[in-house]
């Protein structure tokens, strides 16, 4: 598969099976999975498997024929969003969704300028890749970044929270303004929980105020819900948790519980304008198989009450971690909502990122049969993001291993 | 799903099930499918469905863990190619494969210039979309086109076949040369059977000579096998039919019989260089589910002897169509290999494309329960491209309907 294929762990894990929140390696060792958000309703979820198998045995074709299942699924999907989201185009990867969204924003506004944060990742195509690791002050082909809004490691020292908020908003305003004589301003793309940024808590009501400023300037607000969506933070969508109303949403990862499925959604008018201008056709998208997998995932989330369960289990887990934090100064900050919690690993007594310490925790937890990962601008944030079917009993198992690692790692 | 979603037929077809080469609509009418290349081993193929279901019920994870099935599949896939193809990266759509290939060519050569034909389609991302509908003489961000090589509707009149070949090669040489002082020449991307161009027969050994010229100039030859590959033309790969040796191959559509699966493959050294420079990670790619579907497709092609069957059934079908051509001057040219046959629909006695006539045939055949489509630079080429499991008895059913339409359409 070529050298340099990225693998997790010093000694990579060779897996053979999965079930719910558990993964099993080739030796039959069972690992508690606090990493994988994609199999959101559990590894090898029986309902998803059954629906997928049934549909595959019946029909799978591309979207130039009509299929009831596909139409119903898309209607159901947009119905889970706020009223302004009326229409969706399905794809096979998050990158396809974000690429469509950027192109839609440029088409609808007739302008080119896109804003993102300076520590984000929205995908890997030639267009979307321009948003990856873009320093503030640099323009990359119509894309500029703003400083990631955050309280824990603020981009200016010595400011009160309202002052810090204002500083961020001033920077955004200036960045929007800078597009005035170079192609105009098309919009801002934002992970609605700032996942790759490490789940920072922004000052004040940054999400609401920043997105209002974007709208006032005539730009579109694009919420990347690829990681945030589908109950991850204890609400259906990240933009509900952070209280803003996007014009465009991108969805992916958990949508099909691992079956390749993504979507870009917006108002009917915007999607129609996009389709008028751009030929978008994906052989494998909007297929009956995608609809079967996607519908089964929504069924599971609804019927098992996972939105509420995630909020409650996550809240208790976060409280337990916050309690541990008081005795363990390496845990600089505990952040997040629902079942997406970040622990900012630091040199004790400072807010200096301790990447090595975080990495040792990841390896140490693996040796105790618990899987999680790292994220964030500096790669020092422990990322707790299990399948949504993670329950209190699993949290207990994790916490026992975690406490042990804190003392012995 | 937004206005302007593209659908086939004046009265679109609402499907409910499929089996082998047959599709069934909501009224229970059965249609013979001569259009769909994606379900290559047949609609709802039992072996593919069983393997997919089994794997989905066992494990499906992303590629940052190791999985034997994925490693085995990739080895098997590259083993189907010539010896220079050693390593592959899996994706979820043909566009992802062609985007990787263009980026690889630029990375490996350190140059930017890409050449394609003026009537091609290799995908719809921002980067790959630059190759769509690009007129000769226009540069689009490092991409230039050459005239589609063809005998039936030559780009210069009054030339012998060797003269026409030379004219095409001269144009290619000049186009390569034109990159000398604007970024250098990285390579040529080519559907190895010129499918979207309408399956034209190029003059002489154009494929071999043009690709040799590309190699001599230090460029990479990229074969787009998304439509051509997997036995479609009666050989495993289109480049075998047309006798050239690509440095890079892109695969897609039929790979997973409808499960989203694509790949870019090249030498180990090239793929490693690509990985060193570019972060490419696809949540849904290189998954155990992709490997299960992909392996089952290869098993079916091998065990059922489909490469040979496609060559034989296709050859007899083409002969029957060529015979009809002598009595029906609308059939300007009958081209192609294996089970990919194009009929160039013309105003009788000329080589002027008759798009309306081709469209009437498509609709008329539908009313006789036969599905096929149109392709080509002018949209006037009837495209016969059934699942690979299409047999002589199906060809007879098609030919009866086709003869009827020729007389009564």
């Amino acid at each position: 598969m070529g050298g340099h294929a990225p693998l997790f762990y010093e000694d990579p894990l060779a897996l053979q099976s999965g079930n719910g929140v558990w993964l099993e390696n080739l030796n039959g060792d069972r690992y508690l999975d606090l990493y994988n958000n994609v199999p959101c309703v559990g590894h090898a979820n029986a309902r998803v498997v059954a629906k997928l198998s049934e549909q595959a045995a019946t029909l799978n074709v591309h979207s130039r024929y009509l299929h009831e299942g596909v139409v119903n699924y898309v209607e159901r999907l947009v119905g889970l969003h706020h009223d302004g989201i009326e229409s969706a185009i399905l794809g096979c990867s998050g990158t396809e969704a974000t690429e469509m969204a950027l192109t839609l924003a440029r088409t609808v506004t007739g302008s080119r300028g896109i804003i993102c944060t300076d520590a984000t990742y929205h995908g890997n195509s030639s267009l979307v890749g321009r948003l990856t690791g873009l320093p503030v002050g640099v323009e990359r082909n119509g894309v500029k970044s703003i400083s990631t809004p955050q309280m824990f490691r603020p981009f200016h020292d010595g400011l009160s929270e309202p002052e810090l908020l204002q500083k961020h908003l001033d920077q955004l305003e200036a960045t929007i303004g800078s597009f005035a004589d170079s192609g105009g301003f098309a919009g801002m793309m934002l992970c609605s929980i700032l996942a790759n940024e490490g789940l920072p808590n922004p000052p004040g009501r940054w999400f609401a105020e920043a997105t209002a400023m974007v709208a006032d300037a005539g730009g579109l607000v694009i919420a990347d819900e690829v990681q945030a969506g589908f109950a991850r933070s204890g609400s259906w969508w990240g933009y509900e948790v952070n209280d803003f109303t996007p014009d465009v949403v991108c969805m992916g990862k958990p949508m099909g519980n691992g079956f390749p499925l993504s979507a870009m959604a917006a108002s009917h008018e915007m999607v129609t304008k996009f389709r008028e201008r751009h030929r978008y056709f994906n052989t494998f998208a909007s297929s009956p198989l995608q609809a079967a997998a996607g519908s089964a995932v929504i069924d599971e989330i609804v019927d098992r009450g996972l939105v509420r369960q995630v909020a409650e289990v996550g809240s208790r887990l976060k409280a337990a971690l916050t309690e541990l934090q008081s005795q363990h100064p390496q845990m600089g900050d505990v952040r997040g909502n629902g079942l997406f919690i970040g622990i900012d690993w630091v040199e004790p007594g400072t807010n200096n990122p301790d990447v090595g310490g975080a990495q040792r925790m990841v390896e140490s937890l693996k040796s105790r049969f618990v899987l999680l990962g790292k994220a964030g601008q500096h790669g020092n944030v422990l990322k707790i993001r299990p399948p949504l079917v993670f329950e209190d009993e699993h949290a207990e198992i994790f916490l026992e291993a975690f406490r042990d690692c804190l003392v012995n790692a």
Side-chain angles (χ1 to χ4, degrees), chain A:
Chain A
M1 300 173 62
H4 296 266
L7 286 169
F8 284 145
Y9 298 112
E10 288 168 16
D11 178 18
L13 206 54
L15 296 174
Q16 69 169 341
S17 66
N19 196 303
V21 296
W22 298 95
L23 284 168
E24 198 171 310
N25 73 3
L26 292 178
N27 301 328
D29 299 323
R30 289 178 85 212
Y31 290 83
L32 180 63
D33 182 4
L34 278 87
Y35 181 82
N36 287 291
N37 53 342
V38 173
C40 62
V41 292
H43 290 286
N45 177 286
R47 189 176 196 165
V48 176
V49 173
K51 290 289 177 189
L52 202 57
S53 304
E54 190 186 310
Q55 188 58 53
T58 306
L59 179 70
N60 191 42
V61 281
H62 57 76
S63 62
R64 282 169 174 166
Y65 307 111
L66 288 171
H67 190 267
E68 229 179 1
V70 177
V71 175
N72 292 343
Y73 173 64
V74 171
E75 279 177 11
R76 203 169 168 202
L77 181 67
V78 300
L80 294 168
H81 282 283
H82 71 79
D83 289 350
I85 303 295
E86 302 166 316
S87 197
I89 302 180
L90 304 185
C92 288
S93 71
T95 296
E96 288 173 347
T98 50
E99 169 128 1
M100 282 193 273
L102 293 176
T103 305
L104 178 145
R106 287 177 166 174
T107 301
V108 166
T109 61
S111 297
R112 274 184 58 75
I114 298 286
I115 293 177
C116 60
T117 80
D118 63 349
T120 195
Y121 172 79
H122 294 288
N124 54 33
S125 69
S126 169
L127 172 60
V128 183
R130 287 177 201 148
L131 281 64
T132 307
L134 178 61
V136 173
V138 174
E139 173 163 357
R140 199 184 279 157
N141 233 318
V143 181
K144 293 183 183 181
S145 74
I146 53 172
S147 302
T148 298
Q150 54 183 319
M151 297 287 292
F152 185 65
R153 210 169 272 124
F155 81 135
H156 276 275
D157 285 330
L159 301 180
S160 68
E161 184 168 346
E163 287 167 344
L164 183 62
L165 172 62
Q166 194 53 52
K167 202 99 184 160
H168 277 290
L169 294 174
D170 290 348
Q171 188 197 45
L172 175 60
E173 191 174 18
T175 310
I176 292 172
S178 74
F179 283 116
D181 47 9
S182 66
F185 174 53
M188 176 161 76
M189 177 172 276
L190 203 58
C191 169
S192 58
I193 57 172
L194 301 175
N196 285 301
E197 292 84 344
L199 305 168
N201 293 315
R205 295 183 65 243
W206 178 83
F207 279 99
E209 301 207 25
T211 55
M213 182 181 282
V214 167
D216 286 347
L220 298 193
V221 175
I222 305 166
D224 182 343
E225 292 278 345
V226 169
Q227 291 200 65
F230 290 88
R232 176 50 54 191
S233 295
S235 296
W236 266 101
W237 309 111
Y239 65 75
E240 293 166 340
V241 177
N242 284 317
D243 200 18
F244 68 99
T245 307
D247 301 296
V248 185
V249 290
C250 302
M251 295 161 275
K253 295 194 189 292
M255 274 183 93
N257 211 46
F259 189 91
L261 175 55
S262 71
M264 178 209 57
S267 71
H268 186 77
E269 189 187 343
M270 287 184 195
V271 172
T272 300
K273 272 191 189 152
F274 171 80
R275 286 226 195 254
E276 279 170 6
R277 267 294 300 282
H278 300 279
R279 174 178 177 165
Y280 178 80
F281 174 73
N282 183 317
T283 302
F284 302 129
S286 295
S287 71
L289 220 47
Q290 282 197 332
S295 299
V297 167
I298 296 177
D299 285 339
E300 282 286 89
I301 292 176
V302 171
D303 294 353
R304 295 169 69 169
L306 291 179
V307 176
R308 184 166 170 185
Q309 179 180 311
V310 164
E312 293 176 354
V313 173
S315 165
R316 286 188 285 268
L317 175 57
K318 189 178 174 186
L321 289 167
T322 306
E323 203 186 309
L324 277 175
Q325 188 194 0
S326 60
Q327 302 133 45
H328 297 278
Q330 317 93 295
M331 298 171 68
D333 199 19
V334 177
R335 304 185 292 255
N337 288 287
L339 285 172
F340 205 157
I341 300 173
I343 310 174
D344 201 311
W345 219 255
V346 296
E347 297 167 8
T350 74
N351 67 3
N352 297 337
D354 180 9
V355 180
Q359 182 57 34
R360 280 191 298 279
M361 282 299 286
V362 169
E363 292 284 351
S364 178
L365 281 161
K366 180 193 166 213
S367 73
R368 285 160 180 84
F369 304 102
V370 170
L371 305 180
L372 47 64
K374 292 187 293 114
Q377 194 158 14
H378 309 283
N380 71 314
V381 179
L382 287 186
K383 180 161 74 170
I384 295 172
R385 195 189 55 179
L388 304 176
V389 294
F390 188 87
E391 298 184 14
D392 288 330
E393 57 177 306
H394 308 122
E396 283 311 315
I397 297 170
F398 161 66
L399 285 166
E400 194 182 322
F402 187 77
R403 283 187 204 102
D404 195 26
C405 291
L406 273 172
V407 179
N408 301 312

